[in-house]
Amino acid sequence: MRILRRYRSFPRSVQLLLLNQLTINLGFYMLIPYLADHLSQGLGLSILLVGLILGVRNFSQQGMFLIGGSLADRFGYKPMIVAGCTLRTGGFALLGLVDNVPTLIIASAATGFAGALFNPAVRAYLARDSGDRRVEAFALFSVFYQTGILIGPLIGLALTGIDFSVTCLVAAGVFAVLTVLQVRALPPARGNEPPSGSETGGVLAQWRGIAANRGFLLFSIAMIGSYVLSYQVYLALPLQARTLVSTGTGSTVVVAAVFAVSGGVTIAAQMKVTAWCRARWGPGLSLGRGLAVLAAAFVPLLLAELLSWGFPALAGTVAGTTIGVGALLTAAAILALGTAVVFPFEMDTIVALSRDRLVATHYGFYNTICGIGILLGNLGTGWAMDIARSAGFAPAPWAVLITIGLLSAAALTALHRRGLLTVTTLASAAETSATTPADSVSAAVDDYPTAPITRYRSSFEPHSRNEPPTEPIRLVPAAPVQRPAHHLRMSAARGAERPFPPGREGLPEAPTATGPGARSDPRTPDGHPRPLPDSAFVLPGTAPRGGPERRSSRRR
């Protein structure tokens, strides 16, 4: 009921986006978990072709996130969401109706690219319309996301019992209804217009600008460890379940229990965990400590493997299997808890580091980097598990995963301490200025673009037609100075004290001119120096400038 009340407290567009994500995951996980078995067992394709078809789907989604995000920022969020749902409708229908490899590859690529179109757009749209409640909105988004993952496979299992083509057509129908719902009810929206500069140029200029965002790039790289660890619920944990329970039915039950525990923990604890972390840790610390929780998820598996390695008699026994399955389910629960800590603040940090500009493109860039990390991490994890089992030391992969999590946690903590995970805009600095000194406010604005400084030219340079001339610098009179007594001198001619001219107080007196042509008073009545006579510039024995001697010398 509490989740439902929070759901209703958001604007209509946010409510529709949350329902949208639940339905997307419902239709997707209704079909995808059973696709490999359909291709290999139902159609009789080789493992190589099955891997190719699934790999094309994964690449067309993870590798195209950046393009999907750029399109969402260029054309708006709603068109990309509608296009993605439409494309996935056709792709799922083809997967259930065709049996030739080229068409299956096209259908698989269409389903993957559909996710690349609507995923960045949905997240950017949600961040835009949730406003100051962005963290809470993404926490609720995670609840709806996991609910779809939890319910979808159960519906798909029942439909696949009839026929896999029925599953595909029902999933396609779900996305068709979702497409109509987006067209009719979702308001049009697009992100904030970027300021003048490279971000208004072409797509490549926008990508270069995002790659030059140092804080965002370092954050994306540091978060690769989060995705490598959390995605082990789809790789390492199912493989471990099949190692512990050799029978096909038993391993399937254990894998289903792993997914049920993961989804159940997220649905039950997400909102409470987010509120607790936000109140006590804040976004920056929550990210680093959430990564530490993800790393701790593999400690039970490490301890169980060390126990089996130290006591070989436990292997294959009921006690050994019980310990292993218990460690596996505990790891799944802690992984879900760590993901619940990280995910809302992760999504919020991406928006903050983008400075609310080109948000969908930033999401696409971020997901592309993490997708590459997931690919490399899964390859490395699978290779490590094979090597460890062949070498007889099964605990090694879990120790490697724990190390990856701790390194990522340390990197995120360092970024937080250096202030690279927060960006203070001019608006927030203005709000702070009422209680903060001006110097602190100006120092808080991090790398915000400023207007160019006006160029001043000398008054001797010719001015352009459209540029107004500048005025010369004006002398500002100094404050009056109390003159000491010794700065006053008596004038014998006037019989009264005559002060120094304004601005000359405290300076030594100029010597009185003597000789022919010298005046008794070197200053004018208003206090300014008198000009020297021409005779002062004539050397002895020479005529004044322009005199006869100079003219006669020219004639010679």
Side-chain angles (χ1 to χ4, degrees), residues 306-444:
L306 286 174
L307 187 64
S308 299
W309 182 67
F311 299 94
L314 286 175
T317 63
V318 175
T321 302
T322 303
I323 292 173
V325 171
L328 188 66
L329 297 179
T330 304
I334 300 176
L335 272 177
L337 185 64
T339 304
V341 173
V342 171
F343 179 77
F345 301 104
E346 169 196 357
M347 296 292 104
D348 179 69
T349 302
I350 294 172
V351 181
L353 292 177
S354 71
R355 294 181 174 89
D356 206 21
R357 301 193 300 267
L358 299 176
V359 176
T361 308
H362 278 80
Y363 274 124
F365 193 95
Y366 177 83
N367 286 328
T368 300
I369 292 178
C370 292
I372 295 172
I374 292 169
L375 175 62
L376 297 178
N378 287 345
L379 290 175
T381 301
W383 176 76
M385 294 185 75
D386 288 339
I387 294 296
R389 287 198 175 94
S390 62
F393 191 68
W398 312 121
V400 172
L401 291 172
I402 292 171
T403 304
I404 292 174
L406 294 178
L407 290 176
S408 296
L412 287 168
T413 303
L415 291 176
H416 169 66
R417 289 178 177 175
R418 295 180 61 185
L420 294 175
L421 298 184
T422 56
V423 175
T424 304
T425 61
L426 291 179
S428 60
E431 295 174 359
T432 313
S433 62
T435 56
T436 308
D439 293 340
S440 302
V441 174
S442 61

Side-chain angles (χ1 to χ4, degrees), residues 166-182:
V166 175
T167 306
C168 293
L169 293 177
V170 171
V174 169
F175 276 94
V177 172
L178 190 60
T179 302
V180 176
L181 182 64
Q182 307 307 308

Side-chain angles (χ1 to χ4, degrees), residues 217-277:
L217 187 62
L218 292 176
F219 172 71
S220 302
I221 295 172
M223 284 299 296
I224 289 177
S226 169
Y227 281 83
V228 171
L229 299 186
S230 61
Y231 266 70
Q232 297 312 312
V233 74
Y234 304 108
L235 177 64
L237 299 191
L239 291 177
Q240 182 69 5
R242 292 184 177 90
T243 301
L244 293 171
V245 182
S246 57
T247 61
T249 304
S251 63
T252 302
V253 172
V254 173
V255 171
V258 166
F259 284 105
V261 168
S262 177
V265 169
T266 302
I267 294 170
Q270 178 69 75
M271 303 304 295
K272 296 179 181 178
V273 167
T274 301
W276 190 91
C277 293

Side-chain angles (χ1 to χ4, degrees), residues 135-146:
V135 172
E136 184 182 358
F138 277 115
L140 202 57
F141 180 88
S142 177
V143 172
F144 280 75
Y145 190 95
Q146 289 294 332

